[in-house]
Amino acid sequence: MRGNSSWQSFACLLLLVFAFFLLAGCGGQPQATPSKDQTAQAVREQPASQASSQTGSPEQSAKAGIRVVEALVTSVSDGDTVHVKLDGRDERVRMIGVNCPEVSHPDLGIKEQPYGRKAKEYTTKQLLGKKVWLEFDIQQRDKYGRLLAYVWLELPASGSEDEVRAKMFNARLLLDGYAQVMTVPPNVKYSDLFVKFQREAREQGKGLWGLAPAAPSTGKGGETGYIGNARSKVFHRPDCEWAQKIAPHNRVEFGSREEALEAGYRPCKVCNP
């Protein structure tokens, strides 16, 4: 009898354990914690519209990865400076890598330089009232608060030399002889191309490079004068190869060596005037 009682007690215990696990299984399956891979996939699948709204940027991406912003040219200050309407506000834009001859600004004490008026007329004809795309470099503004930009006439697709020649207005100013190269680090993305474009324009005598240089003046006793570069503050002998390359609007004539030195100019290291 005692053996049967022990067996019955053991059987009851097994039934109770079985019932406990059965009830636990009916309570539902626990939720799995997402893995790192699943989380990363969810981030990648975030809608593009949501990501762009977080940046608040009006930028567009060209096929070559060039970042540009669309703007409308509203006025032209001179050959290399324009005003644009950008994202509902007025912005003054100074073109990177180029320097056009000055137009007259009496209030600023700036006198008009040769070809300055023609450069402004060229820019006005090409850009005024037109939609353009602005590409920025490392430094986006100068000390005057102006935007520094490469001005594209069409949305760039490849960034190749051929496309820069055809579509970028900074390049057109150089190729057509309305500007000289002015490289100001750190904005040097297209500086090598710009030097090449200027050399082509100078060799072909385009624009300001076609202006006849003034004959050098003479000092006392018929002494041959000297030619200074207003941009570099260096003066040369008239027959120096570097004197021949000075753009007309940067040429300054001195009757004597002493006159050039007193004006703050340095002698050329090639011709040693």
Coordinates of all heavy atoms in Angstrom, one line a residue, residues 37-85:
D37 N 22.4 45.0 -37.0 CA 22.2 45.0 -38.4 C 20.8 45.5 -38.7 O 20.6 46.3 -39.7 CB 22.4 43.6 -39.0 CG 23.9 43.2 -38.9 OD1 24.7 44.1 -38.8 OD2 24.1 42.0 -39.0
Q38 N 19.8 45.1 -37.9 CA 18.4 45.5 -38.2 C 18.3 47.0 -37.9 O 17.6 47.7 -38.7 CB 17.5 44.7 -37.3 CG 17.4 43.2 -37.7 CD 16.6 42.4 -36.6 OE1 16.6 42.7 -35.5 NE2 15.8 41.4 -37.1
T39 N 18.9 47.5 -36.9 CA 18.8 48.9 -36.6 C 19.5 49.7 -37.7 O 18.9 50.8 -38.2 CB 19.6 49.2 -35.3 OG1 19.0 48.5 -34.3 CG2 19.5 50.7 -34.9
A40 N 20.6 49.3 -38.2 CA 21.3 50.0 -39.3 C 20.4 50.0 -40.6 O 20.4 51.0 -41.3 CB 22.6 49.4 -39.6
Q41 N 19.7 48.9 -40.8 CA 18.9 48.9 -42.0 C 17.7 49.9 -41.9 O 17.4 50.5 -42.9 CB 18.4 47.4 -42.2 CG 17.5 47.3 -43.4 CD 17.0 45.9 -43.6 OE1 17.3 45.0 -42.9 NE2 16.2 45.7 -44.7
A42 N 17.2 50.0 -40.7 CA 16.1 50.9 -40.5 C 16.5 52.4 -40.8 O 15.8 53.2 -41.3 CB 15.5 50.8 -39.1
V43 N 17.8 52.7 -40.3 CA 18.3 54.1 -40.6 C 18.5 54.3 -42.1 O 18.2 55.3 -42.6 CB 19.7 54.2 -39.8 CG1 20.3 55.5 -40.2 CG2 19.4 54.2 -38.3
R44 N 19.1 53.3 -42.8 CA 19.3 53.4 -44.2 C 18.0 53.6 -45.0 O 17.9 54.3 -46.0 CB 20.0 52.2 -44.8 CG 21.5 52.1 -44.3 CD 22.2 51.1 -45.2 NE 21.6 49.7 -45.1 CZ 22.1 48.9 -44.2 NH1 23.0 49.2 -43.4 NH2 21.5 47.7 -44.1
E45 N 16.9 53.0 -44.5 CA 15.6 53.1 -45.2 C 14.8 54.4 -44.8 O 13.7 54.5 -45.2 CB 14.8 51.9 -44.9 CG 15.4 50.6 -45.5 CD 14.6 49.4 -45.1 OE1 13.8 49.4 -44.2 OE2 15.0 48.3 -45.7
Q46 N 15.5 55.3 -44.0 CA 14.8 56.5 -43.7 C 14.5 57.3 -45.0 O 15.3 57.5 -45.8 CB 15.7 57.4 -42.8 CG 15.1 58.7 -42.4 CD 16.1 59.6 -41.6 OE1 17.2 59.3 -41.6 NE2 15.6 60.6 -41.0
P47 N 13.2 57.8 -45.1 CA 12.9 58.5 -46.3 C 13.8 59.7 -46.6 O 14.2 60.4 -45.7 CB 11.4 59.1 -46.0 CG 10.9 58.1 -45.0 CD 12.1 57.7 -44.2
A48 N 14.2 59.9 -47.9 CA 15.1 61.0 -48.2 C 14.5 62.3 -47.9 O 15.2 63.3 -47.5 CB 15.4 60.9 -49.7
S49 N 13.2 62.5 -48.1 CA 12.5 63.8 -47.8 C 12.7 64.1 -46.3 O 12.9 65.3 -46.0 CB 11.0 63.7 -48.1 OG 10.4 62.6 -47.4
Q50 N 12.7 63.1 -45.4 CA 12.8 63.4 -44.0 C 14.3 63.8 -43.7 O 14.5 64.8 -43.0 CB 12.5 62.2 -43.2 CG 12.6 62.4 -41.7 CD 12.3 61.1 -40.9 OE1 11.7 60.2 -41.4 NE2 12.6 61.1 -39.6
A51 N 15.3 63.2 -44.4 CA 16.7 63.6 -44.1 C 16.9 65.0 -44.6 O 17.6 65.7 -44.0 CB 17.6 62.6 -44.8
S52 N 16.4 65.3 -45.8 CA 16.7 66.6 -46.4 C 16.0 67.7 -45.5 O 16.6 68.8 -45.4 CB 16.2 66.7 -47.8 OG 14.8 66.5 -47.9
S53 N 14.9 67.5 -45.0 CA 14.2 68.5 -44.2 C 14.9 68.8 -42.9 O 14.8 69.9 -42.4 CB 12.8 68.0 -43.8 OG 12.8 66.9 -43.0
Q54 N 15.8 67.9 -42.4 CA 16.5 68.1 -41.2 C 17.7 69.1 -41.5 O 18.1 69.8 -40.6 CB 17.1 66.8 -40.7 CG 16.0 65.9 -40.2 CD 16.5 64.5 -39.8 OE1 17.7 64.2 -40.1 NE2 15.7 63.7 -39.1
T55 N 18.2 69.1 -42.7 CA 19.3 70.0 -43.0 C 18.9 71.4 -43.3 O 19.6 72.3 -43.0 CB 20.1 69.5 -44.3 OG1 19.2 69.5 -45.4 CG2 20.6 68.0 -44.1
G56 N 17.7 71.6 -43.8 CA 17.2 72.9 -44.1 C 18.0 73.6 -45.2 O 18.1 74.8 -45.3
S57 N 18.7 72.9 -46.0 CA 19.6 73.4 -47.0 C 19.0 73.4 -48.4 O 18.4 72.4 -48.8 CB 20.9 72.6 -47.1 OG 21.7 73.0 -48.2
P58 N 19.2 74.5 -49.2 CA 18.7 74.6 -50.6 C 19.6 73.9 -51.6 O 19.5 74.2 -52.8 CB 18.5 76.1 -50.8 CG 19.7 76.7 -50.1 CD 19.8 75.8 -48.8
E59 N 20.6 73.2 -51.2 CA 21.6 72.7 -52.1 C 21.1 71.6 -53.0 O 20.1 70.9 -52.7 CB 22.8 72.1 -51.3 CG 23.6 73.2 -50.5 CD 24.8 72.6 -49.9 OE1 24.9 71.4 -49.9 OE2 25.7 73.4 -49.4
Q60 N 21.7 71.5 -54.2 CA 21.4 70.5 -55.1 C 22.7 69.7 -55.4 O 23.8 70.3 -55.4 CB 20.8 71.0 -56.4 CG 19.6 71.8 -56.3 CD 19.1 72.4 -57.6 OE1 19.6 72.1 -58.6 NE2 18.2 73.3 -57.5
S61 N 22.6 68.4 -55.7 CA 23.8 67.6 -56.0 C 23.8 67.4 -57.5 O 22.8 66.9 -58.1 CB 23.7 66.3 -55.3 OG 23.9 66.5 -53.9
A62 N 24.9 67.7 -58.1 CA 25.1 67.4 -59.5 C 25.6 65.9 -59.6 O 25.9 65.3 -58.6 CB 26.1 68.3 -60.2
K63 N 25.7 65.4 -60.8 CA 26.1 64.0 -60.9 C 27.5 63.7 -60.4 O 27.8 62.7 -60.0 CB 26.0 63.6 -62.4 CG 24.5 63.6 -62.9 CD 24.5 63.2 -64.4 CE 23.1 63.1 -64.9 NZ 23.0 62.8 -66.4
A64 N 28.4 64.8 -60.6 CA 29.7 64.6 -60.1 C 29.9 64.8 -58.7 O 31.0 64.8 -58.2 CB 30.6 65.6 -60.9
G65 N 28.9 65.1 -57.9 CA 29.0 65.3 -56.5 C 29.2 66.8 -56.2 O 29.6 67.1 -55.0
I66 N 29.2 67.7 -57.2 CA 29.4 69.1 -56.9 C 28.1 69.7 -56.2 O 27.0 69.5 -56.7 CB 29.6 69.8 -58.3 CG1 30.8 69.2 -59.0 CG2 29.8 71.3 -58.0 CD1 31.1 69.8 -60.4
R67 N 28.4 70.3 -55.1 CA 27.3 70.9 -54.4 C 27.0 72.4 -54.8 O 28.0 73.2 -54.8 CB 27.6 70.9 -52.9 CG 27.9 69.5 -52.3 CD 26.6 68.6 -52.3 NE 25.6 69.1 -51.4 CZ 24.5 68.5 -51.1 NH1 24.2 67.4 -51.8 NH2 23.6 69.0 -50.2
V68 N 25.8 72.7 -55.3 CA 25.5 74.0 -55.7 C 24.2 74.5 -55.1 O 23.4 73.7 -54.7 CB 25.5 74.1 -57.3 CG1 26.8 73.8 -57.9 CG2 24.4 73.1 -57.8
V69 N 24.0 75.8 -55.2 CA 22.7 76.4 -54.8 C 22.2 77.3 -55.9 O 23.0 78.0 -56.6 CB 22.9 77.3 -53.5 CG1 23.2 76.4 -52.3 CG2 23.9 78.4 -53.6
E70 N 21.0 77.3 -56.1 CA 20.4 78.0 -57.2 C 20.1 79.4 -56.8 O 19.7 79.7 -55.7 CB 19.1 77.3 -57.7 CG 18.4 77.9 -58.9 CD 17.1 77.2 -59.3 OE1 17.2 75.9 -59.3 OE2 16.1 77.8 -59.5
A71 N 20.3 80.4 -57.7 CA 20.1 81.8 -57.3 C 19.7 82.6 -58.6 O 19.9 82.1 -59.7 CB 21.4 82.4 -56.7
L72 N 19.2 83.8 -58.4 CA 18.8 84.7 -59.5 C 19.6 86.0 -59.4 O 19.6 86.6 -58.4 CB 17.3 85.0 -59.4 CG 16.8 86.0 -60.5 CD1 16.8 85.3 -61.8 CD2 15.4 86.4 -60.1
V73 N 20.3 86.3 -60.5 CA 21.1 87.5 -60.5 C 20.2 88.7 -60.7 O 19.5 88.9 -61.7 CB 22.1 87.5 -61.7 CG1 23.0 88.8 -61.7 CG2 23.1 86.3 -61.5
T74 N 20.3 89.7 -59.7 CA 19.4 90.8 -59.7 C 20.1 92.1 -60.1 O 19.4 93.0 -60.6 CB 18.8 91.0 -58.3 OG1 19.8 91.1 -57.3 CG2 17.9 89.8 -58.0
S75 N 21.4 92.2 -59.9 CA 22.1 93.4 -60.4 C 23.6 93.1 -60.5 O 24.1 92.0 -60.0 CB 21.9 94.6 -59.4 OG 22.5 94.3 -58.1
V76 N 24.4 93.9 -61.2 CA 25.8 93.7 -61.4 C 26.6 94.9 -60.9 O 26.3 96.1 -61.3 CB 26.1 93.5 -62.9 CG1 27.6 93.4 -63.2 CG2 25.3 92.3 -63.4
S77 N 27.5 94.7 -60.0 CA 28.3 95.8 -59.5 C 29.5 96.1 -60.4 O 29.8 97.3 -60.7 CB 28.8 95.5 -58.1 OG 27.8 95.2 -57.2
D78 N 30.2 95.1 -60.8 CA 31.3 95.2 -61.8 C 31.5 93.8 -62.4 O 30.7 92.9 -62.3 CB 32.6 95.7 -61.2 CG 33.0 95.0 -59.9 OD1 32.8 93.7 -59.9 OD2 33.5 95.6 -59.0
G79 N 32.6 93.6 -63.1 CA 32.8 92.4 -63.9 C 32.8 91.1 -63.1 O 32.3 90.1 -63.5
D80 N 33.3 91.2 -61.8 CA 33.4 90.0 -61.0 C 32.5 90.0 -59.8 O 32.7 89.1 -58.9 CB 34.9 89.8 -60.6 CG 35.5 91.0 -60.0 OD1 34.8 91.7 -59.2 OD2 36.6 91.3 -60.2
T81 N 31.6 90.9 -59.6 CA 30.7 91.0 -58.4 C 29.3 91.3 -58.8 O 29.0 92.2 -59.6 CB 31.2 92.1 -57.5 OG1 32.6 92.0 -57.2 CG2 30.4 92.1 -56.2
V82 N 28.4 90.5 -58.3 CA 27.0 90.6 -58.6 C 26.1 90.5 -57.4 O 26.6 90.0 -56.3 CB 26.5 89.5 -59.7 CG1 27.3 89.7 -61.0 CG2 26.7 88.1 -59.1
H83 N 24.9 90.9 -57.5 CA 23.9 90.7 -56.4 C 23.0 89.6 -56.9 O 22.6 89.6 -58.1 CB 23.1 91.9 -56.1 CG 23.9 92.9 -55.2 ND1 23.7 93.0 -53.9 CD2 24.8 93.8 -55.5 CE1 24.5 93.9 -53.4 NE2 25.2 94.4 -54.4
V84 N 22.6 88.7 -56.0 CA 21.6 87.6 -56.3 C 20.5 87.5 -55.3 O 20.7 88.0 -54.1 CB 22.4 86.2 -56.4 CG1 23.5 86.3 -57.4 CG2 22.9 85.8 -55.1
K85 N 19.5 86.9 -55.7 CA 18.4 86.6 -54.8 C 18.6 85.1 -54.4 O 18.5 84.3 -55.3 CB 17.0 86.8 -55.4 CG 15.9 86.6 -54.4 CD 14.5 87.0 -55.0 CE 13.4 86.9 -54.0 NZ 12.1 87.2 -54.6

